Amino acid sequence: MTDTSGAAAGRRRHRVREEALADAMRIARRLLVEEGPAAVTVRAVAREMGLTAPGLYRYYAGHRELVQALVSHLYDELAAALAAARERQPADRPGPRLREVARELRRWALAHPNEFTLLFAKPVADADTAPGAAAHDPSWRFGTVVLGLMVELWRRGGVRVPADLDPGWAAQLEEVREHLSGEPVPLEAIYVFVASWARLYGAVAVEVFGHLDFALTDPGPLFEHTVDDVLAMLGDPAA
Amino acid sequence: MTDTSGAAAGRRRHRVREEALADAMRIARRLLVEEGPAAVTVRAVAREMGLTAPGLYRYYAGHRELVQALVSHLYDELAAALAAARERQPADRPGPRLREVARELRRWALAHPNEFTLLFAKPVADADTAPGAAAHDPSWRFGTVVLGLMVELWRRGGVRVPADLDPGWAAQLEEVREHLSGEPVPLEAIYVFVASWARLYGAVAVEVFGHLDFALTDPGPLFEHTVDDVLAMLGDPAA
DNA sequence: GTGAATTGTTTACACCGTTAACTCTAATGA
DNA sequence: TCATTAGAGTTAACGGTGTAAACAATTCAC
């Protein structure tokens, strides 16, 4: 009647499919949050979508793909949260921006322990996360927010570059540099970036997984101290 | 015939039971290593022990208890490995001892990723790990090896205590202090211990979970640098 | 020897991932 | 327009899982 064009119909079926996929993600997410990682199951998601288990196979090739899609979805969400945090500070002050982003990373992780666990503690590297194929994997999307600010800090000078850079690293760090929008960042600075990144990420992980519970009820100040250190290492002029 | 004493029989049945428990742990461990965490299952362990699934319930109340026992077992093994590493350095040099222990922690984690994941990334604190009931939980057994060396370092002086200690921490740190064999360690020093511990643990975790793979093929030197920092923070005279 | 633990078993139920075969509906194309 | 085809969904089935109940057998204690 109104529109019998094939292209429009094609677009519509595509849209419906997209909505079903989004629905599955919404449900999987809720199961993860409310009942833990073990609850995000093919049958449970299918059930809540109003269809039988094999029906879900029209959308995901199996349980593995389902949770992989969820992981990717969560990386995007985290990246968006970090980007939003970054925008809460003036663009010309990368130091405060990085601090805000670091805080948001911790906040997000603490507020979403199940999600963070899924992202952080994938038992074994997915094999396609080998060094080199960095830019394509989902985790890059949120790491890049932090890395971008570090580049910004480097541009303003002040990053304390180490004198003795392990020679074996040149090749890999080179690889990372290529993904930094062609910035001529020296390898020594990239090394500092990686070290800083590892420190922030590690601090959050240790706290989220409760390995500080034996001593601290509020590790917040400890984390602030870590951020101070990292910013000092990156030569934040406002630190 | 030889011995019909009830006590001896009781001891024997007890020994047999202990052996069955040890057997279960051995099998669970192998399954964890060779086929991942998902493979350590009640039925699989029972099967390999030569009995039916419900039979295993005479030894473990359920799947949860089984893997909990495995976790405890692994904590003990890790603690033993760290203690052995500690003994590889002279007793009067706590700095090198701590370095050796830190290296062993990393080595163990990298050599046993599945085990480390199980220990580190328990999705949610087991609720009995709340601050206070520290000394009883299995993780204390291996954390104490590191903490003990830190106390030793403090005793030689040199630990840089922070001037501004968050007042809210006094109570919990006090709790930790009590488990340090009655040493009169100042709370500020204990704060440094916790911070150092978090840093080491976090560095290992980030590496084991592959979050440095995007940049580094060999994060070893980075870890050495972290140990340097920690030892400096603890005022190692030999650093 | 008798009673009671201890250690197993078989059976059963509900859930899981996944495959195969089938139906129905909607888009496609001559 | 009408036959064809691709897509979405179904039911049935297989092997795997955790766990509970009821039962049998062995071994310990007195």
Side-chain angles (χ1 to χ4, degrees), chain B residues 6 9 41-43 47 54 57 62-63:
Chain B
T41 197
V42 173
R43 293 189 116 106
R47 196 159 36 226
Y57 277 70
H63 182 255

Side-chain angles (χ1 to χ4, degrees), chain B residues 148-227:
Chain B
L149 286 172
M150 290 179 176
V151 171
E152 197 66 27
L153 277 165
W154 163 80
R155 204 179 289 149
R156 319 243 157 170
V159 172
R160 267 178 241 159
V161 299
D164 54 337
L165 184 61
D166 192 286
W169 287 357
Q172 308 125 50
L173 293 179
E174 191 78 53
E175 192 99 29
V176 177
R177 175 156 61 178
E178 285 177 19
H179 295 294
L180 259 37
S181 40
E183 298 269 0
V185 185
L187 297 185
E188 288 83 2
I190 297 188
Y191 169 79
V192 177
F193 296 170
V194 173
S196 300
W197 172 240
R199 182 128 186 234
L200 284 178
Y201 212 8
V204 172
V206 168
E207 182 177 348
V208 169
F209 291 124
H211 293 295
L212 262 33
D213 290 353
F214 76 100
L216 307 176
T217 55
D218 174 26
L222 177 57
F223 183 74
E224 283 306 311
H225 199 90
T226 300
V227 176

Side-chain angles (χ1 to χ4, degrees), chain B residues 6-231:
Chain B
R11 249 179 282 119
R12 184 167 52 243
R13 70 144 173 56
H14 185 264
R15 215 206 67 226
V16 171
R17 186 165 226 281
E18 291 298 314
E19 273 177 18
L21 286 168
D23 215 36
M25 283 301 95
R26 228 194 56 240
I27 292 167
R29 173 70 181 281
R30 201 180 52 69
L31 288 169
L32 174 66
V33 171
E34 296 180 1
E35 308 180 51
V40 42
T41 197
V42 173
R43 293 189 116 106
V45 171
R47 196 159 36 226
E48 299 218 20
M49 286 179 72
L51 43 90
T52 61
L56 196 58
Y57 277 70
R58 297 291 162 186
Y59 300 96
Y60 300 98
H63 182 255
R64 190 177 184 78
E65 277 73 10
L66 174 65
V67 12
Q68 175 54 36
L70 179 58
V71 163
S72 196
H73 184 77
L74 291 172
Y75 269 126
D76 280 342
E77 179 184 307
L78 177 52
L82 294 189
R86 185 228 289 142
E87 299 306 318
R88 288 200 290 267
Q89 295 291 330
D92 61 338
R93 303 192 64 210
R97 280 196 146 193
L98 183 53
R99 165 167 258 121
E100 189 83 32
V101 167
R103 282 175 176 159
E104 180 63 26
L105 173 61
R106 172 170 179 262
R107 186 166 25 227
W108 193 92
L110 289 174
H112 307 96
N114 281 331
E115 292 93 319
F116 184 80
T117 300
L118 199 60
L119 298 188
F120 184 86
K122 55 178 73 174
V124 127
D126 287 351
D128 59 348
T129 337
H136 303 110
D137 87 301
S139 75
W140 184 260
R141 287 199 290 274
F142 94 104
T144 212
V145 175
V146 174
L147 223 45
L149 286 172
M150 290 179 176
V151 171
E152 197 66 27
L153 277 165
W154 163 80
R155 204 179 289 149
R156 319 243 157 170
V159 172
R160 267 178 241 159
V161 299
D164 54 337
L165 184 61
D166 192 286
W169 287 357
Q172 308 125 50
L173 293 179
E174 191 78 53
E175 192 99 29
V176 177
R177 175 156 61 178
E178 285 177 19
H179 295 294
L180 259 37
S181 40
E183 298 269 0
V185 185
L187 297 185
E188 288 83 2
I190 297 188
Y191 169 79
V192 177
F193 296 170
V194 173
S196 300
W197 172 240
R199 182 128 186 234
L200 284 178
Y201 212 8
V204 172
V206 168
E207 182 177 348
V208 169
F209 291 124
H211 293 295
L212 262 33
D213 290 353
F214 76 100
L216 307 176
T217 55
D218 174 26
L222 177 57
F223 183 74
E224 283 306 311
H225 199 90
T226 300
V227 176
D228 289 342
D229 268 17
V230 166
L231 284 179

